[in-house]
Amino acid sequence: MDRTESLPAQTRPPGVAPVDPGSVLLPGHDVPLGRYTTVRRLLPQRQRRMVGAWCFVDHFGPDDVAERPGMEVPPHPHTGLQTVTWLLDGEIVHRDSLGNVQAIRPGQLNVMTSGHGIAHSERSPATHPPVMHGVQLWVALPDPARAGGADFAHHAELPRWRDGELDLTLLVGELRGERSPAVVHTPLLGVQVQVRDATAATVPLRPDFEYGLLAMSGAAQVDGVDVAPGALLYLGAGRDRLELRAGAGSRLMLLGGEPFDEPLVMWWNFVGRSHEEVAAARKDWMAGRRFGVVADDAAPPLPAPEMPTTRLKARDRHGGVRG
């Protein structure tokens, strides 16, 4: 049973925070991922497309996979982004076209940089833990990194420390003098906050960053707004601290970053800057060019969907159309 404390009922309309009118509560929506996994997609949404350079947030589980295959996502391509994978429960094996084959388990971090193009697959091993729970995040790459080479890094050890009733694990960026070994290309923060006992706590923030708080399990409350498991509260910018209440056993993900001002076209597995760029990536994938062959995975690659009949438009971080 999840160890959580009952919090007071929300007293303000959903998405309204008194210290920052730009805050919005994003409940997410279900999206199938492969044959056996459904994720809750928190970003992008119409109300909020990005948090810093974080442009995509999927939360999956906790799912009972004791009698099921678990995650089964065959080879597929990426351009213009980094994937950041974090597990709370379970095990997934990453394979990519650089030749990497790497299992990830709870407490470890996988960061894949697509650059101009990479392909990978994500699968639970045949013998796997009975529960799967985690997040996969995308980071939009800025110029010129998005046109550069592909890379992959596995981090088995990350900065961890205790602050009162909070256990913090730094995935990306810097906090309280600690620095993550993960390489990113814009100023970012990603930190897991695990609550030992029900508490009110303060986490320091950078006013020049915008932030979002994802509840992965348990109960949390910020500015009088309840954040239920599987929801993301966008916090805006201009804050120098996060004051939150959280129930015992809660696990939260705090995401932040310098606002990302390059307009993006996000379609299928590609992050680009124009319709033509995305169309070229799709054409290369379907023709077997650019992305390479995923190591140690004989499954047929995922075919790309047909391009939409209307032109894809670049949008800024607020959802406004550019160009």
Side-chain angles (χ1 to χ4, degrees), residues 66-185:
E67 304 298 328
R68 299 167 57 200
M71 185 168 288
E72 286 287 322
V73 183
H76 58 282
H78 287 294
T79 61
L81 58 87
Q82 291 180 292
T83 62
V84 177
T85 305
W86 178 255
L87 291 181
L88 285 73
D89 298 286
E91 181 177 349
I92 296 172
V93 179
H94 162 96
R95 297 174 174 87
D96 65 38
S97 53
L98 299 178
N100 296 293
V101 178
Q102 176 66 60
I104 180 173
R105 301 177 180 89
Q108 303 174 349
L109 183 71
N110 277 0
V111 179
M112 185 184 75
T113 304
S114 72
H116 186 57
I118 195 171
H120 75 142
S121 66
E122 299 157 294
R123 301 182 186 277
S124 299
T127 302
H128 52 263
V131 176
M132 186 172 66
H133 187 192
V135 293
Q136 185 171 89
L137 315 164
W138 290 4
V139 179
L141 288 172
D143 288 326
R146 70 188 189 89
D151 193 22
F152 173 79
H154 173 77
H155 301 286
E157 298 294 333
L158 295 165
R160 292 178 169 86
W161 67 96
R162 183 174 181 181
D163 184 355
E165 293 299 324
L166 305 182
D167 289 320
L168 295 102
T169 304
L170 186 61
L171 282 64
V172 172
E174 301 179 43
L175 185 67
R176 289 198 182 276
E178 300 286 347
R179 178 191 288 268
S180 166
V183 175
V184 291
H185 298 268

Side-chain angles (χ1 to χ4, degrees), residues 5-85:
E5 179 185 81
S6 176
L7 299 178
Q10 183 171 310
T11 57
R12 298 180 179 88
V16 176
V19 301
D20 185 350
S23 296
V24 60
L25 186 65
L26 304 172
H29 58 281
D30 289 347
V31 177
L33 183 67
R35 293 181 60 189
Y36 303 102
T37 304
T38 296
V39 302
R40 282 173 294 283
R41 185 147 299 162
L42 285 310
L43 287 179
Q45 294 194 40
R46 179 171 297 180
Q47 304 98 309
R48 173 54 47 183
R49 294 186 61 80
M50 303 179 72
V51 176
W54 301 102
C55 63
F56 187 95
V57 176
D58 274 356
H59 173 236
F60 52 90
D63 293 327
D64 182 353
V65 295
E67 304 298 328
R68 299 167 57 200
M71 185 168 288
E72 286 287 322
V73 183
H76 58 282
H78 287 294
T79 61
L81 58 87
Q82 291 180 292
T83 62
V84 177
T85 305

Side-chain angles (χ1 to χ4, degrees), residues 219-285:
Q221 190 181 83
V222 177
D223 299 332
V225 178
D226 292 332
V227 188
L232 174 70
L233 180 65
Y234 175 71
L235 298 167
R239 297 173 183 254
D240 61 6
R241 61 189 178 275
L242 171 67
E243 297 181 350
L244 63 87
R245 297 184 60 203
S250 298
R251 290 183 288 187
L252 316 171
M253 181 70 71
L254 178 65
L255 302 173
E258 190 175 89
F260 190 89
D261 287 327
E262 296 180 34
L264 302 179
V265 174
M266 293 180 60
W267 181 82
W268 196 44
N269 296 313
F270 307 130
V271 175
R273 299 297 186 274
S274 69
H275 178 97
E276 290 77 13
E277 184 181 325
V278 169
R282 181 195 182 277
K283 184 176 180 180
D284 285 348
W285 173 248

